[in-house]
Amino acid sequence: MTVPIGSGHGLTNVEGHEDFDIVWPWNQPGGLRRGATAVLRVKNEAPGLRFVLPPLLRACDHVLLVDNGSDDGTGEEALRVAAEHGLSDRFTLKAYPFEVARAGAEHLAVNERSVHSLAYFYNWCFSHVRTRYSWKWDGDMVLTTEGEVSMADLSWQVGMAEAVIRFPRHGLYIESDRKAYLDLGLRNIEEWGFPMSPDYVYTKAPEWEIRTTPDRIEMFALPQGLCVELKWLDGDEFAHWTNPESFATSIRNRRKRREWLVWNALHDGQVPEGVVEIESSEGVHVVDHVTHSWLPRAPRPFVVDDPDHARLHLRA
């Protein structure tokens, strides 16, 4: 009989780094309090944190950011943004000093209990949550005005709930402070909200980590237009993947194939179907324009006739 990974006191790592052993949070003295915590696992995400953190800090009971060896001042920037908005009391910064295997073949070759494993890294991060609910958030995901309100409303309601929440997001490819390309041609909605319990822990999958769930769960999907995922066209969007070319052959990577297609098309001066070019006015950053004005005012729903070819029609 296989023992569930979330049972017992916690996990040790094969390298013997006792300071980075995992104690499951439900086993911590005092247990878990009501509320929701957003957990960000980041490396070199400093440029986007001024957009990511303020609405997230307002929407959640707490935000935990784990810096995995950034050399661009990510941790310092996160502390600065939280302080600037008067929300330092809702923010915690932690450091994870080990190099983590990139998704794909590199991840597959690493022992699940290694400090270099994506699964171990995620479990270590979430072991520091002290609320009964958690949001798996990325360092490039920005809530829209609607998204902030929706997440804040949910954060107090799900504090006692056994439910998984699926959160949609749209890729926003940023060319400059005033110009970006929003991909509305792909329905991308993943599980981002989870209860904190032994039933919901991370384990190893073929190309990345995966969160375990019970056989029967309540699952809710939020509407589109609540979150964008920042993709800086002058950056290295796929650095955390062993081999981006593998997107073309993996049946599990339809979303990454789409991102690879859009990324390369935009670099070649082409705008794929389903991608909308957006320009902000003078003095307004395009990320603020998209999240505060453009997306909240866009007609609903976004209708995709053919997701593989990303044909988009906006219908009032």
Side-chain angles (χ1 to χ4, degrees):
M1 179 177 177
T2 302
V3 178
I5 190 174
S7 62
H9 184 69
L11 297 174
T12 58
N13 55 80
V14 296
E15 291 86 359
H17 295 291
E18 295 182 1
D19 289 348
F20 287 87
D21 285 346
I22 293 168
V23 177
W24 297 126
W26 41 88
N27 291 330
Q28 293 283 357
L32 298 172
R33 66 180 185 272
R34 182 166 185 159
T37 299
V39 181
L40 293 77
R41 300 90 38 234
V42 300
K43 183 172 184 176
N44 293 336
E45 298 278 10
L49 293 180
R50 60 182 171 132
F51 306 111
V52 174
L53 286 179
L56 194 60
L57 285 161
R58 291 190 293 264
C60 299
D61 297 278
H62 206 79
V63 173
L64 166 66
L65 186 144
V66 181
D67 188 3
N68 181 216
S70 297
D71 58 14
D72 69 344
T74 287
E76 293 83 355
E77 173 67 1
L79 290 169
R80 185 197 67 77
V81 172
E84 179 184 341
H85 290 266
L87 296 168
S88 295
D89 59 325
R90 293 191 177 193
F91 180 74
T92 297
L93 173 67
K94 288 192 176 292
Y96 190 81
F98 307 104
E99 187 173 345
V100 178
R102 293 173 295 175
E106 193 173 294
H107 156 74
L108 186 61
V110 175
N111 188 308
E112 184 176 15
R113 298 295 180 89
S114 169
V115 293
H116 305 290
S117 161
L118 275 168
Y120 192 91
F121 173 46
Y122 274 57
N123 281 322
W124 186 87
C125 293
F126 280 84
S127 73
H128 293 88
V129 171
R130 296 295 176 261
T131 55
R132 294 193 180 114
Y133 205 82
S134 65
W135 297 102
K136 174 178 174 281
W137 210 252
D138 288 348
D140 56 7
M141 290 168 55
V142 183
L143 289 164
T144 66
T145 301
E146 293 173 293
E148 180 183 334
V149 173
S150 298
M151 195 171 186
D153 193 42
L154 280 168
S155 287
W156 70 264
Q157 294 187 63
V158 297
M160 297 289 287
E162 279 288 323
V164 172
I165 298 176
R166 302 177 69 197
F167 217 112
R169 67 189 193 275
H170 310 279
L172 182 66
Y173 297 77
I174 303 167
E175 180 178 303
S176 67
D177 287 355
R178 290 188 55 200
K179 188 174 183 180
Y181 301 86
L182 183 64
D183 187 5
L184 296 177
L186 173 68
R187 282 199 177 100
N188 179 30
I189 181 166
E190 298 179 26
E191 293 83 11
W192 291 99
F194 296 89
M196 291 297 297
S197 84
D199 291 326
Y200 302 88
V201 296
Y202 284 95
T203 188
K204 187 175 180 177
E207 290 169 307
W208 49 73
E209 79 299 328
I210 188 170
R211 206 158 189 173
T212 62
T213 55
D215 292 335
R216 293 187 178 183
I217 56 173
E218 285 191 87
M219 185 174 292
F220 301 96
L222 298 180
Q224 293 190 330
L226 303 185
C227 179
V228 299
E229 185 176 23
L230 306 182
K231 300 178 183 298
W232 308 90
L233 287 172
D234 61 353
D236 188 353
E237 174 64 22
F238 305 99
H240 59 293
W241 278 88
T242 307
N243 177 21
E245 285 79 5
S246 67
F247 300 157
T249 57
S250 171
I251 62 172
R252 292 176 292 273
N253 274 333
R254 186 173 73 88
R255 176 175 68 87
K256 301 308 293 186
R257 283 199 298 275
R258 171 64 179 175
E259 293 174 0
W260 183 247
L261 180 152
V262 173
W263 178 270
N264 285 288
L266 292 174
H267 275 276
D268 290 339
Q270 303 171 15
V271 180
E273 289 189 75
V275 176
V276 182
E277 182 178 328
I278 300 174
E279 191 166 346
S280 63
S281 57
E282 186 71 37
V284 178
H285 198 285
V286 69
V287 175
D288 289 329
H289 174 63
V290 170
T291 56
H292 299 326
S293 301
W294 197 96
L295 260 177
R297 295 172 183 168
R300 302 292 195 273
F302 311 135
V303 179
V304 181
D305 293 332
D306 183 352
D308 290 327
H309 295 288
R311 296 185 181 278
L312 171 75
H313 298 285
L314 293 180
R315 186 174 64 198

